[in-house]
Amino acid sequence: MNQYLSKWRTIGMLIFLYIAILKDWQWIWGILFSIWVIENLKSQSTYLIEPIERKDTPVLYWSMVVTWTLLAIYSFSSIFI
């Protein structure tokens, strides 16, 4: 049980995702994509099917970071449209 208490943010986000899907909240994906962008920039790596390191494949890495950013903006736009 103690190992789950240390992962309270992940558990909370999972519950929030279930609620977001039930309520049809598209903006929640904008939050997730934004978190991924920030984490990818800090770690200089990303993941989609397989790990992508900025130092090894910079064009692919930046393409993915830009894609996550655009998807975040698109998801947030559902608030205003």
Side-chain angles (χ1 to χ4, degrees), residues 5-64:
L5 292 177
S6 67
K7 302 296 182 188
W8 64 270
R9 291 181 298 178
T10 301
I11 294 167
M13 185 54 91
L14 268 176
I15 292 167
F16 195 59
L17 282 175
Y18 295 139
I19 293 168
I21 289 168
L22 291 173
K23 299 266 187 187
D24 197 27
W25 291 341
Q26 298 300 313
W27 54 268
I28 188 65
W29 301 107
I31 292 172
L32 281 176
F33 285 125
S34 297
I35 291 169
W36 291 333
V37 167
I38 292 166
E39 290 301 316
N40 290 171
L41 291 172
K42 283 201 266 185
S43 69
Q44 298 185 0
S45 67
T46 188
Y47 190 90
L48 180 67
I49 308 297
E50 59 190 351
I52 304 298
E53 301 289 331
R54 187 175 90 173
K55 65 180 179 182
D56 298 331
T57 51
V59 173
L60 184 56
Y61 168 83
W62 285 111
S63 297
M64 291 177 62

